[in-house]
Structure formats: structure tokens, C-alpha cells
Amino acid sequence: MSKWKTIIGLEVHAEMLTATKMFSACPVVDSVEAPPNTATDPLSLGMPGTLPVINHEAMTYGLMVGLALHCEIPPFNQFARKNYFYPDLPKGYQISQYEHPLAVNGFLDIELSDGSSKRIRIRRAHMEEDTGKLTHVGDGSLVDYNRAGVPLLEIVTEPDIFSSEEAEAYARKLRAILQFLGVNHGDMSKGVLRFEANVSVMHESDSAYRTRTEIKNLNSIRSMVRAIDYEVQRQIELYERGDTVKPATLGWDEAAGRIIIQRYKERPDEYRYFPEPDLPVVQMSREWVEEVRARLPELPDKKRARFVEQLGLSAYDAMVLTLDKAVAQYYEEVLAHGVPAKSAANWMTGDIFRLLNDHKIERENIASIAATPAHIAKLIQLVESGQINANTARKDVLPLVWAEGQDPEAIVKEKGLAQVSDEGALAAGVAQVIAENADMVQSYLGGREQAINALFGKAMSMFKGKANPAIVKSLLQAQLDALRNV
Amino acid sequence: MTSLTELTISEALDKLRARELSSVELTQAHLAQIERYDPHVRAFITTTPELALAQARAADAAYARGEAKPLQGIPLAIKDVLSTEGVETTCASKILKGYKPIFNATAVQRLLDAGMVMLGKVNMDEFAMGSSTENSGFFATRNPYDLARVPGGSSGGSGAAVAARMAMGALGSDTGGSIRLPGAFCNLAAVKPSYGRVSRWGLIAYGSSLDQAGPMTRTVADSARILQVIAGHDPLDSTSMPAPVPDYLAVLAQGVKGLRIGIPQEYFGEGLQPEVEQAVRAAIAQLESMGATVQEVSLPHSKYSLPTYYIIATSEASANLARYDGIRFGAKVDRGDLWQTYKATRGQGFGDEVKRRIMLGTYALSAGYYDAWYGKAQAVRTLIKQDYDEAFKHVDVLCAPVSPTTAFKFGDNTADPLQMYLADVMTISANLAGICGMSVPCGFDAAGLPIGLQILAPAFAEDVLLRVGFAYEQATQFYKQAPRLLAD
């Protein structure tokens, strides 16, 4: 066991995907798709004389997240100016919240691979505006202000995360919650959701935290995990050879798989926060908070519990089916066609997830595949009703449904894949297999029980795999038993 | 016939509506006045004669159609702190040279909608920081009553343009006295509305929690007309008040009988020029003779208003002025490297006073100093506001001088910034408290320089303010005394 413990706090910036920006009527657009600087207005550009006006929808979205994270909602919150010069910040200050955030003292329970769960405390969540986006080209930089002013919720944990695995579980769970709430689609490659990890290590003999570093530019959860592992190792190695860790802002180079030190922090950042004089204090009436609470959709934890309690799924299946809103939605649509919940869960977590993996499709994009929930439900019904066997369904039908979105019933009909369940025909076939494989039969009767599997395989291939395997199995057993008793 | 430039807005509107006068004639008369006098006064940074004449023609056409909007065909000047679409807006700063906004300030838009003819943009202390207009990044404006003296500031261009009859009225802005002081120095009626009465959208920010745009005219009624148009809630300004605007013209003539006037004793102490004190006390006596009652009141925290203001206003300014980096608008001093470009642009673009205030504000907000400076100033601001709340329990308005002295000479106060700051000592607390105030002409000193009576009223009681101002003005008519310049 290592003498070192990892301490992580995560800061998450989640854009609230409202129709318009945080403080003006300028539309919010997809910052990857939209041509640069086409979604701007005088306020987004920081033109003199412009004034912010609070977007009520954005505050509602932020409130939804705060409530979903079990936060307290103080009776009022207040915007503040965070001052710093940077070309992506057109006003020279960011309107954020400081002393009086929207939400405080919440928590998020995460599930770990050993089946345990852990509570990560949320220190605060506050509303702010996003900055523009810089692209470095040659000897200069280009600025795109489409993103400037997009509502942003910053969610900060306590340093309760002790491994990259826990960080990953937190990130995935939080992303699922944002998706379930419909406030953020969770596509990290588009920068709508950004994680920053504050990492330090603690020796078993320590009684206080050591210096932490801050890792930025994490474009995926996978990158975050790799970056944390790398940074923890780097810090331990520094300490073990007698060096110290200096406070620093770090970047992660995904291609090279290593940490880049962006700048050392000589002293704490000086942002000269003060209350935003252009905006009133935001009063959070109890009526508003309770109305939003009442309208919260079913969130991952609740859905997961329902899947276990009402549908009888295993804890693991229930968890993976609720990690992405799109997956849960897909699964529930399959169920809506009246198929057994457990079979549907098996198909989802087995064959469908494998195909997604093979085709490198993120689970959250499941809605984009050709096979519809109706198709998958039909496929399951064909198996359940004995019209095809599971193997045929998996090997012959599903690939066509997957690739071309064909109707499973039509495939079965067209390819003649319907299962043979006629006992007379099957009994004759089994008898023939027994007759033609005397040595295997002898071996079985002599005590080599597994020889029955070979005989079963021969019988199945005689019917080109379409035989009802359960019937074949019982016929084979019966005929062999009959021989034994002779 | 009196010169067209001697008409008040009210008189001109009567003639325009009666079709005895065209807006084109009226506008041409003012453009001619600018051509003749502005080389001496230097009030305008930008004149827009073609735009003005086009607007005048449109106003005449509207009169011909039978329309009569509140300020239709009236030539006005706009302080260069207010954004004007397509017309250069500089805040009298080199850093905004060449900047043409793509939108109008709400106050400007409302004037345009009311039929204003815009003559141009007038000079000011750079970013409204100053009390003499000597801090303009371009040139100083002179007082039409004595060209060797300042017109006051920061809305000195507005004050001088109206006093010299180059515009029938002007918009100024007041963060610590910047409408009332030039109003007093230039013999004008000048109103600082309550914070939240007039939209700040497009008013380029200096001290966001203090700034208000307001009218500067020769008569109180003219100010009432302009205020009527620009006042009222604006969804683009979250600090604008969503309350109905009274009919200011309708209440003007209600008189002061029974009105309770308070005299804040702290405003009549040391350093007050004797002629100013005499004139203001005479004005109060005049109001009393017209039926008002007078009593002394105390504003005990007045002495802290100057330092409180200079912490809050400069803190806000240090953030408000961060956006001027030469990248997206205004003048840029390109040094290749971004940080060098920032430094050169701001180093050369901002004048000394602006830099001084950015540094003061940056310091006041710094970690470790915030509580001692900004935090403390906010606490004192609350006390100052409570002083007024208490006073207004007993009186309807307060009367005091606008400034301890009449207009001073160029350079008199430039060597010592603190000396200059003292010019605002009597106006600043109204901004901190968010109440409304105005300056009304109340006489002249021995040198013939105008003296202003300051009237203060509770927040959103502009109607009371205007009523008192109007009653006093009608009884005394000091406003009729034109600057010597115009007699030459």
C-alpha cells in the first residue's frame, strides 16, 4: 500500500444552454458549428455604454442544477465583477458571483466499481458568463466572441475526491444530471462542459494538505483521468526525491499524454472582486425555488433505484443504463413496446453497448444509430416468443438491424431464419446425430459429460443454427438417457 | 425680433407649432452661432450640421403633417459620454478617437424619437472625471461668462454650449456634480435625476452606481421638457426604475406655498465664497417670502462624502475602463506584442486624471485593502443615505450652494488634484444617496460670474424639485442674463 493519498477537488464549468446569453438577448449558438463572431451584440463585445440584464431562464437552469445537487439556495445571490485582462474577456472583467453564490452546501453520491457508493460534497455553485474563445494561429491569436456571455454555472466540490476513479465517477454522474435536467448536452468536445482538477497528495504522516496544482484544458473525462494519474505520480516523485511541488496552473497534452506547466503562481490570483453595480441583487423567493423543485425531472439516482426496485435489474445494469440520459431514454423506449425489462437490459448492456464500442460511438449518442428502440423491442420479442433463437438474433438479425435499420421481422422472413420448433423433425435429427457419432456417445455414456456439448453443436448445425436450442437440448438428453438405460 | 438663439425651448415650440418658425431656420441659427462663437468657447468636439439639417427638415415635414412631438425640431447638444449611432463618441478621450457606436444611448434615442435635432457632441472632462473640463483629452472649454475661466465640469461643453446660445439645451451627465456644477458656473437650470430615473444604456460608464444623465437648459421648464422625454424605465438598464413618470410640466406652476425647505448647516461652513453664501441665503429668503417654511437640518456625515465618493467611483471606474485596450474599438497603439500594445494604448490613450483614478480604484479593491477601503466606503455611503432619509422626514427639499465658489480660472486647481476635488464637495453626496438635485441661477458675484442655488429632493421626487426651481426662477429671472461674450 502506498504511503501517499490523493486529494482532488473538481471545478466544473457547465454552460447553461439557454436560448439567449446570460446578460443580453444575443442568441446562444453551437460554438463549434457557428461561424466565428456571428452570434455577438454590443454587450458580448464589451462596447462602451452597454449594460447587463439577467437572463431569468439561465437563473432557473442554475437553480435546477443546485437543487439536483441537494444544495441550499440562499435567499439571495449577487453578481460581482472579477477583474483581469485577457483578450477573450471583452470587458476586462467577468460578471461572476463571489460572496453570495446561487447555491451552497450540496452533495453528489457516486458509485464505485467495487459496488460501494461515496458522497462528494459540493461547496458552491454560482452563475457567471463564459468568455470568448481564443485560437492560436501562427504568430497571432484569433478571438471568437460567440461564446462570450453564454451562461455558465461553476460547480465546485470540497476536496473529497481521493482517486482518478472517483473523479471519473463524479464527472460522469454530474454530466448525466446536467443532461437529465436538459440544461447541458454534455458534449465536452464542444467545450460546453469543462473540468478543472485541483490535485495534491498527502503523505500518511501528514496532518495538513500540501500544495495543490490546478489542471486545466481537459477535453474529455478520459483526459481528466489520465491527467490526474500523471499529476499524482509527478507530485509523489517530486516529494520522494526531496523536491517540493510549486503552486501552478497546468495543462494536459492529450496527444503526448503528459502534463504541461503553463505558469507558476507566485502569489494568489488578484481579481479585485466587487459587487456588480449594474445588476440588482437576485432574490430567490421560496415560491420560485419550490416551483422549480417540483418541476425537476427524474434524475439518475431516482431512475436507478426505480430500475432496481420496480424492474428487478441488477445494481450494475441499473447504473450503466442511467449514466447517460440518451441511454436511459433509449432503454425506456424499448420497454415501452412491452418487452421484459431484464431481457431488454441484457440486450442493451451486452450487444448494443458492444456494437457502440466497436463502432466508436459514445453511448450518449445512442439516439443517432440506425436501429430504433422499436426494432430492438421487436428483436427481443422474436426471441422471447421462440420465433428465432438468441444466437440467430445476435449473429444474423442484429447486424442488419444495426447497419441498415431494417425491420427484424422482415429480415427473419426474407432470410428464412425462423426457428425450427417442430419436435418430430428435431427428434429425428437428434436421432441421426446420435447414430452418426457413436464414439462421442460412448464417451458420454462412459462418463465424459461434456461430450454432450459436442453432440448438441452437431445437432444445431444440422439445422443451420435455427433449431430451438432448448428443445434440441432436452431431446438430446432424453435420447441419451434412453441409451444409458438399455 | 429677438434672435432665434435667445428663444427658450418652450418659446420655440410655440412658434414651431404655430408654424411661425421652421426648425430649419432655428437649426441654421444655432449652427451659425456655433460657427461664430465656438472657436472662442470650444464646446463642441463634433458638430453634425448635415444630420441636424436633415432632422430639422424632417421635423418641419412632421409639423406640416400636423404632428407635434414633444421636442420636435429643437436643436440640442449631447455630451460626448452618450453613445450616438454612427456619430463619433469619444468621452473626450484619445483612447476612443474614431469610435462610432452602432447603437444610441436610450436617452438619446428617446430625444430622437421626440423629434430632437442633434447639433453635435460636446466636450467634457475625460470619461467625466473632473470639475472644470480641463481634463478633456482634446482641449479645454471656456466659460462664456468669462473666457479666462472654466465652465465647470465634467459636463462643461454642455454648460458652455447652452450658455453661449449655441444649443437650446443639452444632455449632461452627473456622477458627483457634473451637471449641477457647470449648471451653476454657466447660469443654467440643470437637473441631476435620481439614480434609476433615466436609463444608463449607452451612457458610457464612469461610476456605475452614481452616473445619471440629465438636462441642462436656460430655464426650468425647458429642463422639465427634456426630463419628461428621457425619464422612465428601460428594460436594457436593470438599475432603471420601473415606476411611472409624473407629468413634470403640469406641476411646475404649483408654487412653494407650505413647502418645507431644509438648510443643511454643514453646507454653510468654512471656505464658502461670501458672495455665494449671500446669494444662496437670499434665494432661500425669496422662497420663504413666497410661502415656503424654512428650517435648519443636519447631514452629519457630509464631511465623509468626498473620500467615500473617491473610493466608490474610482473602484467602479477601474473596472469600467478596463475594456479600453485598443483591440475592438477606438485608438490603438500597436506594438506587435499584445501586452505591450495594451500598455502603449492605455499609456498614451488615457490622460493623467483618468490614470490616477484607475490606480486609486485598483488599489482600493486590492486583496487586503478591500475591507478597509471599498467595504468601509459602502458602509459610510449607507450612513450618508440615512442622513438624507432622516432630513426628508422633516422637509420636502434642501437648499444649499452648488459649489463653494464661482467659476475659477484655468490652471487654478490643476496643480493639486485634491483642491479640484473640493469643487464637488456640495454635490457629491446626492449621487451617493441616489437622490435628485438641480442647480438654478441665483445671482452673480462682483465679477459677474453666475452663482447656482442647489435644490435637493428625495429619490424620484423630481416633480417637487422642478416646482421649487420654477417658482424661484419665475420670481427672479436671473437666467435672462446672457454672457458678456454675446454682447461683444
Side-chain angles (χ1 to χ4, degrees):
Chain A
M1 195 63 193
S2 167
K3 290 178 164 52
W4 296 95
K5 185 177 172 186
T6 301
I7 309 287
I8 301 165
L10 285 179
E11 282 174 32
V12 181
H13 287 90
E15 287 187 355
M16 297 289 104
L17 297 175
T18 45
T20 57
K21 291 186 177 179
M22 186 68 223
F23 298 117
S24 72
C26 186
V28 169
V29 296
D30 184 312
S31 68
V32 174
E33 306 283 327
N37 296 310
T38 52
T40 64
D41 65 352
L43 190 87
S44 309
L45 296 173
M47 287 182 166
T50 54
L51 296 169
V53 177
I54 296 169
N55 178 341
H56 183 79
E57 189 188 20
M59 295 305 291
T60 305
Y61 279 20
L63 174 58
M64 286 165 70
V65 178
L67 292 173
L69 297 175
H70 311 99
C71 290
E72 295 162 23
I73 307 297
F76 72 93
N77 58 75
Q78 185 179 40
F79 286 93
R81 293 187 183 178
K82 178 180 181 179
N83 296 286
Y84 64 96
F85 276 105
Y86 209 63
D88 65 7
L89 189 65
K91 297 188 299 301
Y93 59 84
Q94 180 187 32
I95 304 178
S96 181
Q97 295 188 318
Y98 185 58
E99 266 187 273
H100 302 289
L102 169 65
V104 296
N105 299 334
F107 64 85
L108 180 62
D109 288 333
I110 57 170
E111 289 72 43
L112 301 171
S113 59
D114 64 3
S116 67
S117 79
K118 176 174 173 177
R119 178 156 294 186
I120 308 296
R121 289 172 301 157
I122 308 286
R123 180 180 297 171
R124 58 187 272 148
H126 69 252
M127 294 298 309
E128 56 187 31
E129 55 177 343
D130 211 342
T131 62
K133 198 171 69 179
L134 285 179
T135 310
H136 301 286
V137 285
D139 61 348
S141 295
L142 302 174
V143 196
D144 177 6
Y145 291 113
N146 284 352
R147 211 181 67 181
V150 171
L152 200 61
L153 185 71
E154 181 173 329
I155 306 160
V156 184
T157 71
E158 295 292 345
D160 287 353
I161 299 168
F162 298 154
S163 69
S164 61
E165 188 208 341
E166 290 180 12
E168 176 174 7
Y170 173 84
R172 291 200 186 282
K173 185 75 171 281
L174 180 62
R175 189 173 66 163
I177 289 171
L178 297 173
Q179 291 173 334
F180 274 70
L181 291 171
V183 300
N184 183 299
H185 56 63
D187 186 349
M188 290 178 68
S189 68
K190 292 191 166 171
V192 298
L193 185 59
R194 310 193 287 275
F195 289 86
E196 286 168 29
N198 289 301
V199 178
S200 66
V201 295
M202 218 172 165
H203 191 263
E204 60 183 14
S205 62
D206 290 348
S207 55
Y209 292 130
R210 296 190 178 213
T211 304
R212 65 171 190 261
T213 56
E214 185 180 1
I215 318 175
K216 294 187 184 237
N217 304 343
L218 300 168
N219 296 322
S220 68
I221 291 175
R222 225 163 287 159
S223 296
M224 182 185 73
V225 170
R226 293 180 68 196
I228 289 172
D229 287 340
Y230 186 103
E231 176 58 10
V232 166
Q233 210 46 47
R234 188 184 75 91
Q235 290 188 11
I236 292 173
E237 279 167 19
L238 280 170
Y239 287 129
E240 290 194 336
R241 64 165 193 257
D243 276 342
T244 54
V245 170
K246 281 187 271 185
T249 302
L250 313 174
W252 173 249
D253 182 339
E254 178 63 30
R258 63 185 171 84
I259 287 282
I260 307 154
I261 293 173
Q262 290 181 332
R263 68 189 174 97
Y264 287 109
K265 291 185 181 183
E266 299 292 327
R267 52 186 165 184
D269 289 320
E270 167 68 280
Y271 291 120
R272 304 190 310 280
Y273 282 99
F274 71 101
E276 168 57 273
D278 288 333
L279 291 173
V281 162
V282 184
Q283 303 292 340
M284 305 301 292
S285 73
R286 285 301 104 184
E287 294 75 35
W288 183 17
V289 173
E290 292 317 313
E291 184 218 313
V292 169
R293 195 197 303 276
R295 281 193 292 118
L296 286 183
E298 187 184 41
L299 294 169
D301 276 348
K302 210 166 169 201
K303 202 181 273 290
R304 187 166 51 93
R306 180 168 61 83
F307 282 2
V308 172
E309 285 155 24
Q310 294 181 15
L311 305 181
L313 303 193
S314 70
Y316 177 80
D317 280 359
M319 183 189 74
V320 293
L321 287 173
T322 52
L323 266 185
D324 289 286
K325 186 190 184 189
V327 169
Q329 208 164 351
Y330 194 99
Y331 173 67
E332 294 193 293
E333 280 174 36
V334 173
L335 291 190
H337 289 86
V339 301
K342 276 186 163 174
S343 311
N346 288 339
W347 278 93
M348 290 288 299
T349 59
D351 294 271
I352 305 288
F353 280 7
R354 179 178 48 75
L355 282 165
L356 289 170
N357 256 352
D358 293 350
H359 291 84
K360 301 205 181 333
I361 298 169
E362 295 288 340
R363 287 180 195 169
E364 70 194 48
N365 296 326
I366 192 169
S368 68
I369 65 175
T372 65
H375 289 143
I376 301 304
K378 186 80 72 63
L379 184 72
I380 295 169
Q381 277 159 349
L382 288 170
V383 177
E384 292 289 321
S385 64
Q387 294 177 61
I388 57 173
N389 67 48
N391 210 32
T392 304
R394 182 171 295 121
K395 293 214 167 106
D396 299 321
V397 184
L398 183 57
L400 290 170
V401 177
W402 174 271
E404 294 159 44
Q406 285 187 47
D407 176 24
E409 220 156 16
I411 297 169
V412 168
K413 199 167 282 175
E414 192 185 310
K415 305 233 160 186
L417 297 172
Q419 182 165 259
V420 180
S421 299
D422 173 354
E423 288 214 21
L426 292 175
V430 168
Q432 190 184 337
V433 168
I434 288 177
E436 285 172 4
N437 297 281
D439 48 342
M440 285 187 195
V441 173
Q442 284 312 316
S443 165
Y444 174 77
L445 295 175
R448 269 200 66 225
E449 298 262 318
Q450 58 273 48
I452 196 171
N453 294 333
L455 291 165
F456 175 74
K458 294 233 177 240
M460 286 304 287
S461 53
M462 170 172 281
F463 290 97
K464 302 198 167 63
K466 292 182 287 181
N468 183 322
I471 299 177
V472 170
K473 199 164 262 173
S474 73
L475 286 169
L476 186 59
Q477 192 69 57
Q479 294 190 20
L480 288 171
D481 288 349
L483 286 175
R484 190 186 306 236
N485 299 335
V486 165
Chain B
M1 181 188 153
T2 49
S3 158
L4 293 181
T5 55
E6 286 298 326
L7 295 174
T8 65
I9 293 174
S10 301
E11 290 163 352
L13 282 170
D14 285 345
K15 289 182 186 293
L16 287 165
R17 286 171 185 163
R19 312 290 311 278
E20 292 167 15
L21 172 67
S22 75
S23 173
V24 168
E25 291 170 80
L26 190 63
T27 302
Q28 280 170 337
H30 285 90
L31 290 172
Q33 189 83 349
I34 292 169
E35 203 158 312
R36 179 165 174 202
Y37 291 107
D38 202 45
H40 308 291
V41 175
R42 308 206 73 189
F44 283 83
I45 293 175
T46 304
T47 50
T48 50
E50 285 165 29
L51 175 69
L53 287 169
Q55 289 168 336
R57 282 190 293 272
D60 287 333
Y63 279 117
R65 288 195 302 273
E67 290 172 28
K69 286 178 283 191
L71 293 168
Q72 191 165 285
I74 299 298
L76 301 176
I78 305 293
K79 187 179 182 182
D80 216 17
V81 72
L82 287 144
S83 303
T84 45
E85 185 178 348
V87 176
E88 190 174 29
T89 299
T90 66
C91 284
S93 180
K94 292 189 181 82
I95 211 161
L96 273 176
K97 197 76 199 115
Y99 169 59
K100 290 184 178 173
I102 59 171
F103 61 95
N104 279 320
T106 296
V108 171
Q109 187 61 52
R110 287 181 177 178
L111 289 176
L112 290 168
D113 292 344
M116 158 181 76
V117 168
M118 190 177 91
L119 294 165
K121 305 297 290 291
V122 283
N123 201 19
M124 52 189 281
D125 288 296
E126 185 179 4
F127 282 105
M129 297 176 182
S131 310
S132 69
T133 317
E134 290 168 288
N135 291 336
S136 166
F138 305 132
F139 48 80
T141 294
R142 302 187 183 119
N143 190 324
Y145 285 84
D146 180 350
L147 293 179
R149 292 176 187 266
V150 303
S154 66
S155 308
S158 305
V162 178
R165 278 59 171 165
M166 296 189 288
M168 304 194 82
L171 284 190
S173 74
D174 191 313
T175 305
S178 285
I179 284 175
R180 289 161 286 162
L181 184 67
F185 283 12
C186 295
N187 204 38
L188 302 177
V191 180
K192 181 210 96 75
S194 313
Y195 187 77
R197 182 88 279 185
V198 177
S199 168
R200 292 185 298 117
W201 174 262
L203 170 67
I204 297 178
Y206 155 31
S208 307
S209 70
L210 304 156
D211 298 339
Q212 271 290 293
M216 301 173 70
T217 57
R218 276 179 279 133
T219 68
V220 175
D222 286 0
S223 270
R225 287 178 189 278
I226 292 176
L227 184 62
Q228 193 77 54
V229 168
I230 63 175
H233 181 244
D234 177 8
L236 292 175
D237 175 4
S238 311
T239 64
S240 79
M241 184 72 172
V245 178
D247 184 340
Y248 296 130
L249 285 173
V251 301
L252 280 184
Q254 286 177 357
V256 294
K257 201 165 172 46
L259 210 83
R260 299 165 304 166
I261 294 175
I263 306 172
Q265 55 189 48
E266 290 81 2
Y267 283 51
F268 291 85
E270 222 177 305
L272 192 56
Q273 186 180 321
E275 292 154 299
V276 171
E277 176 162 5
Q278 284 155 22
V280 170
R281 290 207 184 271
I284 294 165
Q286 171 69 41
L287 286 164
E288 197 170 13
S289 76
M290 295 163 71
T293 61
V294 174
Q295 58 180 288
E296 284 224 328
V297 296
S298 176
L299 301 169
H301 297 92
S302 292
K303 55 178 176 286
Y304 303 114
S305 60
L306 207 61
T308 301
Y309 170 87
Y310 275 97
I311 290 167
I312 291 172
T314 59
S315 294
E316 291 174 356
S318 73
N320 285 331
L321 271 62
R323 70 189 65 201
Y324 304 105
D325 57 13
I327 306 295
R328 284 152 291 127
F329 42 76
K332 173 178 173 181
V333 183
D334 200 335
R335 289 285 153 80
D337 173 77
L338 180 72
W339 291 98
Q340 294 307 321
T341 299
Y342 280 173
K343 284 186 191 172
T345 298
R346 291 170 69 82
Q348 295 178 29
F350 289 138
D352 286 348
E353 184 60 27
V354 172
K355 288 178 192 163
R356 183 177 295 123
R357 295 196 193 188
I358 290 173
M359 287 188 282
L360 274 172
T362 302
Y363 176 78
L365 291 172
S366 300
Y369 299 98
Y370 179 93
D371 289 340
W373 300 115
Y374 188 82
K376 183 72 88 182
Q378 287 293 12
V380 176
R381 182 179 190 170
T382 302
L383 295 175
I384 290 170
K385 189 173 175 305
Q386 286 168 355
D387 281 356
Y388 279 107
D389 291 345
E390 181 58 32
F392 285 128
K393 282 180 191 162
H394 308 288
V395 298
D396 300 302
V397 293
L398 299 172
C399 284
V402 173
S403 170
T405 69
T406 51
F408 44 87
K409 287 188 170 153
F410 288 102
D412 269 4
N413 286 336
T414 47
D416 180 359
L418 281 176
Q419 194 59 41
M420 183 72 89
Y421 295 171
L422 284 171
D424 293 332
V425 72
M426 295 173 164
T427 46
I428 260 173
S429 62
N431 299 76
L432 291 167
I435 62 171
C436 57
M438 75 182 296
S439 174
V440 186
C442 73
F444 299 86
D445 69 6
L449 297 167
I451 300 168
L453 167 69
Q454 182 173 216
I455 309 166
L456 299 168
F460 305 104
E462 282 83 359
D463 48 348
V464 181
L465 196 70
L466 291 163
R467 224 172 96 195
V468 178
F470 183 79
Y472 175 72
E473 170 199 84
Q474 292 301 304
T476 54
Q477 312 225 347
F478 289 112
Y479 73 92
K480 288 190 167 164
Q481 179 140 350
R484 260 171 267 169
L485 170 78
L486 303 182
D488 296 343

